[in-house]
Amino acid sequence: MRLSDLKTGEKGVIVKVLGHGGFRKRIVEMGFIKGKVVQVLLNAPLQDPVKYKVMGYEVSLRHEEAEMIEVISVSEAEKLQQEELMQASDAVRGKLAEERPMTDKQLKAAAMKKRRIINVALVGNPNCGKTSLFNFASGAHERVGNYSGVTVDAKEGTAFFEGYEFRLVDLPGTYSLSAYSPEEMYVRRQIIDKTPDFVINVIDSSNLERNLYLTTQLVDMNLRMVCALNMFDELEARGDKLDLRTLGVLFGVPMIPTVFKTGKGVDLLFHIIINMYEGMDFLDKDGNINPEVARDLQEWHKSYEGKHGGDHEEDYSHGTRPNKSVYRHIHLNHGVYIEDAISKLYEELQREDSLRHKYSMRYLAIKLLEMDAHAEKLVGTLSNGKQILAVRDAAAANIQKELKEDSETAVMNAKYAFIHGALQEAGYEEGTKMDTYQVTHILDHFITHKYFGFPLFFVLIFMMFWVTFTLGQYPMDWIDTGVAALGDWVGRVMPDGPLRDMVVDGIIAGVGAVIVFLPQILILYAFISFMEDSGYMARAAFIMDRLMHKMGVHGKSFIPLIMGFGCNVPAVMATRTIESRRSRLITMLVLPLMSCSARLPIYIMITSTFFALKYRSWIMISLYFIGIVMAVLMSRIFSRYVVKGDDVPFVMELPPYRFPTGKAMFRHTWEKGKQYLKKMGGIILVASVIVWALGYFPHHEELTPQEQQEQSYIGRIGKTIEPAFRAQGFDWKLDVGLLAGVGAKEIVASTMGVLYAGDETVADDEEADSVKYANLHKKMSADGITPLVAFCFLLFVLLYFPCIATIAAIKNESGSWKWALFTVIYTTGLAWIVSAVVYQVGRLMGF
Ligand code: GDP
Ligand code: MG
């Protein structure tokens, strides 16, 4: 509970103070020290200030400030005590005997216990190893991927270490904390609003300069943090020289070498975090540790002696002064002109204290000079907001005059200059012993080659689909035979009646028509996982960049688009890595035209039914191709006429190639396969039963199956909408399939499976497959469906309404129903027009 929640007269014990270093320091100096009892003298709701008594003094705080202090109230402590008593064995219970009212000592013990939960945020560039640390420490299985943007949400996990509970939050990767991309804003908000106790800044030590840029911004924010110099194995293999301690001192942040892939350095990292968390707020002006705090720390330290390597840099547990302390809050020097501007702004910002508990004023001043929109908005809420912005504008103009660059660039350059200098001072020398990226460099020479790159890429994509379809055929046949045998068997053992018909013709036929594609989907996902994890996907984006620009989007849009071939939903979510909102939106809008694997079942069913073997793969390829062409056309149209706005330039990352581990690949593939199976058990099962029921009722035994279907509910629905699809030559059964596919596209296939299920006798021989399709061919041809109609039907399936899940994802990611609705309308319209045109032209040409 927060101090602001205590009512007048109530008592509590301080657990911890949240927020940035400047704020914590001020509050601790007022006497709000962990474990101390506070009493509320006066807390009137909505009335500032609130009066407290702490350590014998009366102090007043503003409401927002009291909100940043975590306390444990007497009643909370009592509740905890009772819980403990309930759990304790009889023998222990005697010793724990309840005492009322609780003594201050007991209260303090309860507070200190609660304090042992540390909220830690993992912040760092994409691909630096945050998720690897998260997984290693918490035992989670979050996705580790070798391209940027794998983590798009905050993931939470818990780790236990030396008596403390670490609540880890794995945040999306960012290069900076400006307000350009949604991730950057997201990470900023997480840090400011969720007020983690600690930040672990994960750094890829093979790319120090760029990674430290983010560090400089975190330093500005005055956070309690450590840097994990991750991938230290690679740095050592290269033989780089770097004095970590010096670098740490220069930044005022401990720099801990780590290898998160194996977990090396994690113990030391956590040990140092505990040290800093418990010690660093409690130093007096001369740098001596508060003796009470020191005693607690030493006690804790003794019980874990020797468990975390001998000497460590940041230690508050020896003697009265911190041992080899590296941590200090530095004001990163931006050079005279910028510093001058900062101090002018600082002075102006200081006049108002309503933001002080949340933001370091220096940080806000720097952000304002960076022309940060969010900071401007914040400052706008202050009474002297206009004044502050006027000061900023004058200062920025001065910087422009003196440095001949705009203040935003000037701040950035100053930060890089700082980093460069710090590295120089820390004796940073890139080793020559071995180029860890030698392989990467050689490979990139070919893979991103001007002339070879493209053909190689197409060969790979072609291989991917070819292997998927040919190799996938075998397990597919097995499952198919299994499903048929199951249907047969159930049909024989169950008594006649609607229930048997529902199980055989509804559930087994419907779900069976879809489940057979699981192997192919797994193979496709295995390929995509391999390309992502190895780093090839990032190259593909690089190769495609120029082409993508012609579509009006960025190279970065390419990864989501390729993912769309698997499933559109995660693909829509993956667009978050695209910095420019405009590119993002366009990518999202055209994504449904990427033929997702849910459409495969119906493609295969229809092509196998209507086309000779040698044409089948061409029909398939043509569908994928038409989808891509439409995506290109649409995105050109959208970028020109529909989605307005400017683009922001950004870096395109090329992570080093890494050979994906079998385990990771297996997991990634399986995760996706699992989603597919889940869908099967859920929406597809339900839809199959509904479609079956609509076709079964009203039921008349004496009718032939065809007559039965025509007069059933589904037949009536299909007949009603039939005129709408006359231009495409679809009959009512096809219309019903399309209607059912709105839920999920697999349902088109399962619906057809149900609609055409029935009296055929499945042969047990090797020809089962061709017999099945021959049967289907007979039935569908009898309905007047020609290959041309069948092809137009596939075109319609390809282009129309993406499934409900995709629409929901677009709504979430674009932030409004507007774009989701737009997608529904344009895709369906496009499908209608394209299939009508193809049908009419095809008919004229005599197909
Ligand atoms: P994130 O984007 O920051 O979450 O990074 P990930 O945890 O997804 O890791 C990116 C890649 O770096 C993965 O391929 C990891 O296996 C790899 N990786 C992570 N830590 C290390 C390390 O210490 N050494 C080496 N060599 N590779 C690592
Ligand atoms: Mg990650």
Side-chain angles (χ1 to χ4, degrees), residues 125-133 143-147 149-151 170 230-234 258-262 533 658:
N125 287 7
N127 221 25
C128 62
K130 296 175 299 298
T131 305
S132 300
L133 167 62
R143 218 179 144 163
V144 176
N146 195 13
Y147 74 98
V150 171
T151 314
D170 184 17
N230 194 34
M231 316 234 177
F232 210 74
D233 51 338
E234 296 193 358
T258 60
V259 182
F260 290 145
K261 216 159 75 168
T262 59
D533 294 359
R658 292 177 213 279

PDB file of all heavy atoms in Angstrom, residues 125-133 143-147 149-151 170 230-234 258-262 533 658, ligand 1:
ATOM      1  N   ASN A 125      18.885  -2.469 -26.198  1.00  0.00           N
ATOM      2  CA  ASN A 125      18.624  -2.489 -27.632  1.00  0.00           C
ATOM      3  C   ASN A 125      17.959  -3.801 -28.021  1.00  0.00           C
ATOM      4  O   ASN A 125      18.049  -4.779 -27.286  1.00  0.00           O
ATOM      5  CB  ASN A 125      19.946  -2.390 -28.398  1.00  0.00           C
ATOM      6  CG  ASN A 125      20.532  -1.000 -28.327  1.00  0.00           C
ATOM      7  OD1 ASN A 125      20.051  -0.138 -27.616  1.00  0.00           O
ATOM      8  ND2 ASN A 125      21.581  -0.784 -29.071  1.00  0.00           N
ATOM      9  N   PRO A 126      17.347  -3.841 -29.181  1.00  0.00           N
ATOM     10  CA  PRO A 126      16.848  -5.127 -29.649  1.00  0.00           C
ATOM     11  C   PRO A 126      18.007  -6.103 -29.792  1.00  0.00           C
ATOM     12  O   PRO A 126      19.126  -5.678 -30.089  1.00  0.00           O
ATOM     13  CB  PRO A 126      16.273  -4.799 -31.029  1.00  0.00           C
ATOM     14  CG  PRO A 126      16.016  -3.348 -31.009  1.00  0.00           C
ATOM     15  CD  PRO A 126      17.030  -2.752 -30.100  1.00  0.00           C
ATOM     16  N   ASN A 127      17.748  -7.347 -29.503  1.00  0.00           N
ATOM     17  CA  ASN A 127      18.726  -8.371 -29.820  1.00  0.00           C
ATOM     18  C   ASN A 127      19.982  -8.362 -28.963  1.00  0.00           C
ATOM     19  O   ASN A 127      21.025  -8.826 -29.398  1.00  0.00           O
ATOM     20  CB  ASN A 127      19.136  -8.211 -31.289  1.00  0.00           C
ATOM     21  CG  ASN A 127      19.252  -9.539 -31.960  1.00  0.00           C
ATOM     22  OD1 ASN A 127      18.617 -10.498 -31.528  1.00  0.00           O
ATOM     23  ND2 ASN A 127      20.065  -9.616 -32.972  1.00  0.00           N
ATOM     24  N   CYS A 128      19.917  -7.773 -27.771  1.00  0.00           N
ATOM     25  CA  CYS A 128      21.124  -7.718 -26.964  1.00  0.00           C
ATOM     26  C   CYS A 128      21.132  -8.832 -25.915  1.00  0.00           C
ATOM     27  O   CYS A 128      22.124  -9.033 -25.235  1.00  0.00           O
ATOM     28  CB  CYS A 128      21.244  -6.358 -26.292  1.00  0.00           C
ATOM     29  SG  CYS A 128      19.887  -6.031 -25.180  1.00  0.00           S
ATOM     30  N   GLY A 129      20.020  -9.538 -25.773  1.00  0.00           N
ATOM     31  CA  GLY A 129      19.991 -10.666 -24.842  1.00  0.00           C
ATOM     32  C   GLY A 129      19.061 -10.509 -23.652  1.00  0.00           C
ATOM     33  O   GLY A 129      19.149 -11.278 -22.702  1.00  0.00           O
ATOM     34  N   LYS A 130      18.173  -9.525 -23.686  1.00  0.00           N
ATOM     35  CA  LYS A 130      17.261  -9.314 -22.561  1.00  0.00           C
ATOM     36  C   LYS A 130      16.417 -10.548 -22.275  1.00  0.00           C
ATOM     37  O   LYS A 130      16.317 -10.999 -21.142  1.00  0.00           O
ATOM     38  CB  LYS A 130      16.319  -8.129 -22.851  1.00  0.00           C
ATOM     39  CG  LYS A 130      17.010  -6.805 -22.980  1.00  0.00           C
ATOM     40  CD  LYS A 130      16.040  -5.717 -23.385  1.00  0.00           C
ATOM     41  CE  LYS A 130      15.374  -5.943 -24.730  1.00  0.00           C
ATOM     42  NZ  LYS A 130      16.279  -5.992 -25.872  1.00  0.00           N
ATOM     43  N   THR A 131      15.828 -11.071 -23.335  1.00  0.00           N
ATOM     44  CA  THR A 131      14.947 -12.219 -23.130  1.00  0.00           C
ATOM     45  C   THR A 131      15.737 -13.438 -22.680  1.00  0.00           C
ATOM     46  O   THR A 131      15.249 -14.248 -21.902  1.00  0.00           O
ATOM     47  CB  THR A 131      14.142 -12.497 -24.408  1.00  0.00           C
ATOM     48  OG1 THR A 131      13.467 -11.307 -24.774  1.00  0.00           O
ATOM     49  CG2 THR A 131      13.125 -13.594 -24.194  1.00  0.00           C
ATOM     50  N   SER A 132      16.979 -13.539 -23.146  1.00  0.00           N
ATOM     51  CA  SER A 132      17.810 -14.651 -22.689  1.00  0.00           C
ATOM     52  C   SER A 132      18.018 -14.583 -21.182  1.00  0.00           C
ATOM     53  O   SER A 132      17.926 -15.592 -20.479  1.00  0.00           O
ATOM     54  CB  SER A 132      19.174 -14.630 -23.385  1.00  0.00           C
ATOM     55  OG  SER A 132      19.021 -14.728 -24.771  1.00  0.00           O
ATOM     56  N   LEU A 133      18.281 -13.374 -20.674  1.00  0.00           N
ATOM     57  CA  LEU A 133      18.427 -13.207 -19.228  1.00  0.00           C
ATOM     58  C   LEU A 133      17.111 -13.538 -18.530  1.00  0.00           C
ATOM     59  O   LEU A 133      17.073 -14.251 -17.538  1.00  0.00           O
ATOM     60  CB  LEU A 133      18.832 -11.763 -18.904  1.00  0.00           C
ATOM     61  CG  LEU A 133      18.715 -11.360 -17.417  1.00  0.00           C
ATOM     62  CD1 LEU A 133      19.632 -12.196 -16.551  1.00  0.00           C
ATOM     63  CD2 LEU A 133      19.018  -9.883 -17.222  1.00  0.00           C
ATOM     64  N   ARG A 143      10.276 -16.174 -26.112  1.00  0.00           N
ATOM     65  CA  ARG A 143      10.915 -16.290 -27.393  1.00  0.00           C
ATOM     66  C   ARG A 143      12.217 -15.513 -27.480  1.00  0.00           C
ATOM     67  O   ARG A 143      12.217 -14.318 -27.288  1.00  0.00           O
ATOM     68  CB  ARG A 143       9.940 -15.695 -28.372  1.00  0.00           C
ATOM     69  CG  ARG A 143       9.972 -16.447 -29.558  1.00  0.00           C
ATOM     70  CD  ARG A 143       9.173 -16.130 -30.599  1.00  0.00           C
ATOM     71  NE  ARG A 143      10.212 -16.496 -31.523  1.00  0.00           N
ATOM     72  CZ  ARG A 143      10.055 -16.732 -32.739  1.00  0.00           C
ATOM     73  NH1 ARG A 143       8.914 -16.625 -33.248  1.00  0.00           N
ATOM     74  NH2 ARG A 143      11.041 -17.083 -33.480  1.00  0.00           N
ATOM     75  N   VAL A 144      13.294 -16.225 -27.779  1.00  0.00           N
ATOM     76  CA  VAL A 144      14.561 -15.558 -28.045  1.00  0.00           C
ATOM     77  C   VAL A 144      14.736 -15.602 -29.547  1.00  0.00           C
ATOM     78  O   VAL A 144      14.639 -16.653 -30.141  1.00  0.00           O
ATOM     79  CB  VAL A 144      15.717 -16.321 -27.385  1.00  0.00           C
ATOM     80  CG1 VAL A 144      17.038 -15.695 -27.746  1.00  0.00           C
ATOM     81  CG2 VAL A 144      15.539 -16.359 -25.889  1.00  0.00           C
ATOM     82  N   GLY A 145      14.946 -14.470 -30.161  1.00  0.00           N
ATOM     83  CA  GLY A 145      15.021 -14.527 -31.614  1.00  0.00           C
ATOM     84  C   GLY A 145      16.133 -13.670 -32.125  1.00  0.00           C
ATOM     85  O   GLY A 145      16.484 -12.669 -31.523  1.00  0.00           O
ATOM     86  N   ASN A 146      16.700 -14.079 -33.228  1.00  0.00           N
ATOM     87  CA  ASN A 146      17.826 -13.331 -33.747  1.00  0.00           C
ATOM     88  C   ASN A 146      17.386 -12.278 -34.746  1.00  0.00           C
ATOM     89  O   ASN A 146      17.904 -12.189 -35.833  1.00  0.00           O
ATOM     90  CB  ASN A 146      18.818 -14.294 -34.382  1.00  0.00           C
ATOM     91  CG  ASN A 146      20.152 -13.637 -34.608  1.00  0.00           C
ATOM     92  OD1 ASN A 146      20.393 -12.561 -34.073  1.00  0.00           O
ATOM     93  ND2 ASN A 146      20.993 -14.238 -35.398  1.00  0.00           N
ATOM     94  N   TYR A 147      16.411 -11.518 -34.432  1.00  0.00           N
ATOM     95  CA  TYR A 147      16.131 -10.312 -35.206  1.00  0.00           C
ATOM     96  C   TYR A 147      15.372  -9.389 -34.299  1.00  0.00           C
ATOM     97  O   TYR A 147      14.810  -9.810 -33.300  1.00  0.00           O
ATOM     98  CB  TYR A 147      15.375 -10.624 -36.484  1.00  0.00           C
ATOM     99  CG  TYR A 147      13.930 -10.980 -36.292  1.00  0.00           C
ATOM    100  CD1 TYR A 147      12.930 -10.036 -36.475  1.00  0.00           C
ATOM    101  CD2 TYR A 147      13.576 -12.271 -35.927  1.00  0.00           C
ATOM    102  CE1 TYR A 147      11.608 -10.371 -36.301  1.00  0.00           C
ATOM    103  CE2 TYR A 147      12.265 -12.603 -35.751  1.00  0.00           C
ATOM    104  CZ  TYR A 147      11.281 -11.658 -35.940  1.00  0.00           C
ATOM    105  OH  TYR A 147       9.979 -11.986 -35.760  1.00  0.00           O
ATOM    106  N   GLY A 149      12.802  -6.984 -32.465  1.00  0.00           N
ATOM    107  CA  GLY A 149      11.356  -6.900 -32.355  1.00  0.00           C
ATOM    108  C   GLY A 149      10.656  -8.178 -31.977  1.00  0.00           C
ATOM    109  O   GLY A 149       9.468  -8.311 -32.187  1.00  0.00           O
ATOM    110  N   VAL A 150      11.396  -9.132 -31.424  1.00  0.00           N
ATOM    111  CA  VAL A 150      10.731 -10.361 -31.016  1.00  0.00           C
ATOM    112  C   VAL A 150       9.827 -10.107 -29.805  1.00  0.00           C
ATOM    113  O   VAL A 150       8.717 -10.593 -29.721  1.00  0.00           O
ATOM    114  CB  VAL A 150      11.757 -11.461 -30.696  1.00  0.00           C
ATOM    115  CG1 VAL A 150      11.070 -12.659 -30.068  1.00  0.00           C
ATOM    116  CG2 VAL A 150      12.450 -11.886 -31.968  1.00  0.00           C
ATOM    117  N   THR A 151      10.347  -9.318 -28.865  1.00  0.00           N
ATOM    118  CA  THR A 151       9.548  -9.011 -27.691  1.00  0.00           C
ATOM    119  C   THR A 151       8.750  -7.746 -27.970  1.00  0.00           C
ATOM    120  O   THR A 151       9.326  -6.683 -28.138  1.00  0.00           O
ATOM    121  CB  THR A 151      10.470  -8.751 -26.484  1.00  0.00           C
ATOM    122  OG1 THR A 151      11.449  -9.766 -26.450  1.00  0.00           O
ATOM    123  CG2 THR A 151       9.698  -8.733 -25.200  1.00  0.00           C
ATOM    124  N   ASP A 170      10.486  -8.059 -18.878  1.00  0.00           N
ATOM    125  CA  ASP A 170      11.251  -8.044 -20.121  1.00  0.00           C
ATOM    126  C   ASP A 170      10.576  -7.060 -21.076  1.00  0.00           C
ATOM    127  O   ASP A 170       9.457  -7.286 -21.509  1.00  0.00           O
ATOM    128  CB  ASP A 170      11.222  -9.464 -20.716  1.00  0.00           C
ATOM    129  CG  ASP A 170      12.075  -9.574 -21.959  1.00  0.00           C
ATOM    130  OD1 ASP A 170      12.919  -8.692 -22.181  1.00  0.00           O
ATOM    131  OD2 ASP A 170      11.902 -10.559 -22.701  1.00  0.00           O
ATOM    132  N   ASN A 230      26.680  -7.744 -21.971  1.00  0.00           N
ATOM    133  CA  ASN A 230      26.352  -9.093 -22.396  1.00  0.00           C
ATOM    134  C   ASN A 230      27.131  -9.474 -23.655  1.00  0.00           C
ATOM    135  O   ASN A 230      27.728  -8.625 -24.295  1.00  0.00           O
ATOM    136  CB  ASN A 230      24.844  -9.183 -22.634  1.00  0.00           C
ATOM    137  CG  ASN A 230      24.392 -10.607 -22.739  1.00  0.00           C
ATOM    138  OD1 ASN A 230      24.945 -11.479 -22.084  1.00  0.00           O
ATOM    139  ND2 ASN A 230      23.418 -10.864 -23.583  1.00  0.00           N
ATOM    140  N   MET A 231      27.084 -10.743 -23.989  1.00  0.00           N
ATOM    141  CA  MET A 231      27.829 -11.294 -25.124  1.00  0.00           C
ATOM    142  C   MET A 231      29.315 -11.064 -24.880  1.00  0.00           C
ATOM    143  O   MET A 231      30.078 -10.823 -25.814  1.00  0.00           O
ATOM    144  CB  MET A 231      27.427 -10.633 -26.452  1.00  0.00           C
ATOM    145  CG  MET A 231      25.932 -10.473 -26.598  1.00  0.00           C
ATOM    146  SD  MET A 231      25.357 -11.189 -28.099  1.00  0.00           S
ATOM    147  CE  MET A 231      23.606 -10.907 -27.934  1.00  0.00           C
ATOM    148  N   PHE A 232      29.666 -11.109 -23.622  1.00  0.00           N
ATOM    149  CA  PHE A 232      31.060 -10.882 -23.276  1.00  0.00           C
ATOM    150  C   PHE A 232      31.943 -11.979 -23.851  1.00  0.00           C
ATOM    151  O   PHE A 232      33.127 -11.777 -24.095  1.00  0.00           O
ATOM    152  CB  PHE A 232      31.234 -10.791 -21.758  1.00  0.00           C
ATOM    153  CG  PHE A 232      32.351  -9.908 -21.346  1.00  0.00           C
ATOM    154  CD1 PHE A 232      32.223  -8.532 -21.453  1.00  0.00           C
ATOM    155  CD2 PHE A 232      33.547 -10.440 -20.878  1.00  0.00           C
ATOM    156  CE1 PHE A 232      33.267  -7.699 -21.098  1.00  0.00           C
ATOM    157  CE2 PHE A 232      34.601  -9.596 -20.527  1.00  0.00           C
ATOM    158  CZ  PHE A 232      34.457  -8.232 -20.639  1.00  0.00           C
ATOM    159  N   ASP A 233      31.357 -13.156 -24.068  1.00  0.00           N
ATOM    160  CA  ASP A 233      32.114 -14.250 -24.682  1.00  0.00           C
ATOM    161  C   ASP A 233      32.633 -13.838 -26.060  1.00  0.00           C
ATOM    162  O   ASP A 233      33.773 -14.108 -26.417  1.00  0.00           O
ATOM    163  CB  ASP A 233      31.259 -15.519 -24.786  1.00  0.00           C
ATOM    164  CG  ASP A 233      29.902 -15.265 -25.435  1.00  0.00           C
ATOM    165  OD1 ASP A 233      29.443 -14.104 -25.417  1.00  0.00           O
ATOM    166  OD2 ASP A 233      29.313 -16.227 -25.962  1.00  0.00           O
ATOM    167  N   GLU A 234      31.807 -13.123 -26.784  1.00  0.00           N
ATOM    168  CA  GLU A 234      32.213 -12.717 -28.127  1.00  0.00           C
ATOM    169  C   GLU A 234      33.283 -11.638 -28.059  1.00  0.00           C
ATOM    170  O   GLU A 234      34.217 -11.626 -28.857  1.00  0.00           O
ATOM    171  CB  GLU A 234      31.006 -12.235 -28.917  1.00  0.00           C
ATOM    172  CG  GLU A 234      30.008 -13.358 -29.119  1.00  0.00           C
ATOM    173  CD  GLU A 234      28.940 -13.031 -30.147  1.00  0.00           C
ATOM    174  OE1 GLU A 234      28.954 -11.903 -30.674  1.00  0.00           O
ATOM    175  OE2 GLU A 234      28.109 -13.916 -30.406  1.00  0.00           O
ATOM    176  N   THR A 258      28.682 -10.284 -18.726  1.00  0.00           N
ATOM    177  CA  THR A 258      27.760 -11.422 -18.634  1.00  0.00           C
ATOM    178  C   THR A 258      27.685 -12.184 -19.956  1.00  0.00           C
ATOM    179  O   THR A 258      28.042 -11.652 -21.009  1.00  0.00           O
ATOM    180  CB  THR A 258      26.317 -10.967 -18.327  1.00  0.00           C
ATOM    181  OG1 THR A 258      25.878 -10.098 -19.369  1.00  0.00           O
ATOM    182  CG2 THR A 258      26.210 -10.277 -17.002  1.00  0.00           C
ATOM    183  N   VAL A 259      27.241 -13.414 -19.851  1.00  0.00           N
ATOM    184  CA  VAL A 259      26.916 -14.217 -21.039  1.00  0.00           C
ATOM    185  C   VAL A 259      25.557 -14.854 -20.741  1.00  0.00           C
ATOM    186  O   VAL A 259      25.473 -15.874 -20.072  1.00  0.00           O
ATOM    187  CB  VAL A 259      27.961 -15.323 -21.291  1.00  0.00           C
ATOM    188  CG1 VAL A 259      27.612 -16.098 -22.564  1.00  0.00           C
ATOM    189  CG2 VAL A 259      29.349 -14.726 -21.398  1.00  0.00           C
ATOM    190  N   PHE A 260      24.511 -14.244 -21.181  1.00  0.00           N
ATOM    191  CA  PHE A 260      23.184 -14.712 -20.791  1.00  0.00           C
ATOM    192  C   PHE A 260      22.794 -16.015 -21.468  1.00  0.00           C
ATOM    193  O   PHE A 260      21.874 -16.691 -21.043  1.00  0.00           O
ATOM    194  CB  PHE A 260      22.129 -13.647 -21.062  1.00  0.00           C
ATOM    195  CG  PHE A 260      22.250 -12.482 -20.131  1.00  0.00           C
ATOM    196  CD1 PHE A 260      21.965 -11.200 -20.551  1.00  0.00           C
ATOM    197  CD2 PHE A 260      22.664 -12.672 -18.816  1.00  0.00           C
ATOM    198  CE1 PHE A 260      22.081 -10.126 -19.697  1.00  0.00           C
ATOM    199  CE2 PHE A 260      22.778 -11.608 -17.949  1.00  0.00           C
ATOM    200  CZ  PHE A 260      22.489 -10.330 -18.392  1.00  0.00           C
ATOM    201  N   LYS A 261      23.505 -16.331 -22.540  1.00  0.00           N
ATOM    202  CA  LYS A 261      23.182 -17.581 -23.204  1.00  0.00           C
ATOM    203  C   LYS A 261      23.457 -18.755 -22.264  1.00  0.00           C
ATOM    204  O   LYS A 261      22.752 -19.743 -22.270  1.00  0.00           O
ATOM    205  CB  LYS A 261      24.011 -17.718 -24.476  1.00  0.00           C
ATOM    206  CG  LYS A 261      23.231 -18.382 -25.570  1.00  0.00           C
ATOM    207  CD  LYS A 261      23.792 -18.083 -26.948  1.00  0.00           C
ATOM    208  CE  LYS A 261      25.054 -18.850 -27.229  1.00  0.00           C
ATOM    209  NZ  LYS A 261      25.413 -18.757 -28.662  1.00  0.00           N
ATOM    210  N   THR A 262      24.511 -18.585 -21.428  1.00  0.00           N
ATOM    211  CA  THR A 262      24.834 -19.662 -20.496  1.00  0.00           C
ATOM    212  C   THR A 262      24.505 -19.289 -19.054  1.00  0.00           C
ATOM    213  O   THR A 262      24.558 -20.121 -18.166  1.00  0.00           O
ATOM    214  CB  THR A 262      26.339 -19.987 -20.556  1.00  0.00           C
ATOM    215  OG1 THR A 262      27.054 -18.792 -20.229  1.00  0.00           O
ATOM    216  CG2 THR A 262      26.746 -20.439 -21.935  1.00  0.00           C
ATOM    217  N   ASP A 533      15.660 -17.069 -36.585  1.00  0.00           N
ATOM    218  CA  ASP A 533      16.671 -17.299 -35.558  1.00  0.00           C
ATOM    219  C   ASP A 533      18.093 -17.206 -36.093  1.00  0.00           C
ATOM    220  O   ASP A 533      19.006 -16.831 -35.372  1.00  0.00           O
ATOM    221  CB  ASP A 533      16.467 -18.668 -34.891  1.00  0.00           C
ATOM    222  CG  ASP A 533      15.165 -18.704 -34.102  1.00  0.00           C
ATOM    223  OD1 ASP A 533      14.480 -17.663 -34.081  1.00  0.00           O
ATOM    224  OD2 ASP A 533      14.848 -19.743 -33.511  1.00  0.00           O
ATOM    225  N   ARG A 658      23.740 -16.501 -36.466  1.00  0.00           N
ATOM    226  CA  ARG A 658      23.944 -17.471 -35.404  1.00  0.00           C
ATOM    227  C   ARG A 658      23.239 -18.735 -35.822  1.00  0.00           C
ATOM    228  O   ARG A 658      22.141 -18.669 -36.363  1.00  0.00           O
ATOM    229  CB  ARG A 658      23.318 -17.010 -34.093  1.00  0.00           C
ATOM    230  CG  ARG A 658      24.005 -15.831 -33.498  1.00  0.00           C
ATOM    231  CD  ARG A 658      23.267 -15.394 -32.243  1.00  0.00           C
ATOM    232  NE  ARG A 658      23.365 -13.963 -32.082  1.00  0.00           N
ATOM    233  CZ  ARG A 658      24.411 -13.341 -31.570  1.00  0.00           C
ATOM    234  NH1 ARG A 658      25.444 -14.032 -31.153  1.00  0.00           N
ATOM    235  NH2 ARG A 658      24.440 -12.045 -31.469  1.00  0.00           N
TER     236      ARG A 658
HETATM  237  P1  GDP B   1      16.581  -9.542 -26.856  1.00  0.00           P
HETATM  238  O1  GDP B   1      16.089  -9.072 -28.200  1.00  0.00           O
HETATM  239  O2  GDP B   1      17.347  -8.474 -26.167  1.00  0.00           O
HETATM  240  O3  GDP B   1      15.490 -10.122 -26.014  1.00  0.00           O
HETATM  241  O4  GDP B   1      17.656 -10.682 -27.162  1.00  0.00           O
HETATM  242  P2  GDP B   1      17.502 -12.255 -27.102  1.00  0.00           P
HETATM  243  O5  GDP B   1      17.520 -12.711 -25.701  1.00  0.00           O
HETATM  244  O6  GDP B   1      16.324 -12.619 -27.940  1.00  0.00           O
HETATM  245  O7  GDP B   1      18.880 -12.751 -27.755  1.00  0.00           O
HETATM  246  C1  GDP B   1      19.278 -12.438 -29.061  1.00  0.00           C
HETATM  247  C2  GDP B   1      20.278 -13.458 -29.558  1.00  0.00           C
HETATM  248  O8  GDP B   1      21.529 -13.356 -28.881  1.00  0.00           O
HETATM  249  C3  GDP B   1      19.832 -14.904 -29.386  1.00  0.00           C
HETATM  250  O9  GDP B   1      20.190 -15.597 -30.547  1.00  0.00           O
HETATM  251  C4  GDP B   1      20.617 -15.374 -28.174  1.00  0.00           C
HETATM  252  O10 GDP B   1      20.843 -16.760 -28.196  1.00  0.00           O
HETATM  253  C5  GDP B   1      21.921 -14.600 -28.339  1.00  0.00           C
HETATM  254  N1  GDP B   1      22.613 -14.349 -27.073  1.00  0.00           N
HETATM  255  C6  GDP B   1      22.064 -13.866 -25.927  1.00  0.00           C
HETATM  256  N2  GDP B   1      23.017 -13.710 -24.973  1.00  0.00           N
HETATM  257  C7  GDP B   1      24.196 -14.091 -25.523  1.00  0.00           C
HETATM  258  C8  GDP B   1      25.553 -14.128 -25.042  1.00  0.00           C
HETATM  259  O11 GDP B   1      25.856 -13.764 -23.910  1.00  0.00           O
HETATM  260  N3  GDP B   1      26.498 -14.577 -25.907  1.00  0.00           N
HETATM  261  C9  GDP B   1      26.209 -14.952 -27.177  1.00  0.00           C
HETATM  262  N4  GDP B   1      27.181 -15.370 -27.961  1.00  0.00           N
HETATM  263  N5  GDP B   1      24.945 -14.905 -27.665  1.00  0.00           N
HETATM  264  C10 GDP B   1      23.951 -14.488 -26.860  1.00  0.00           C
END
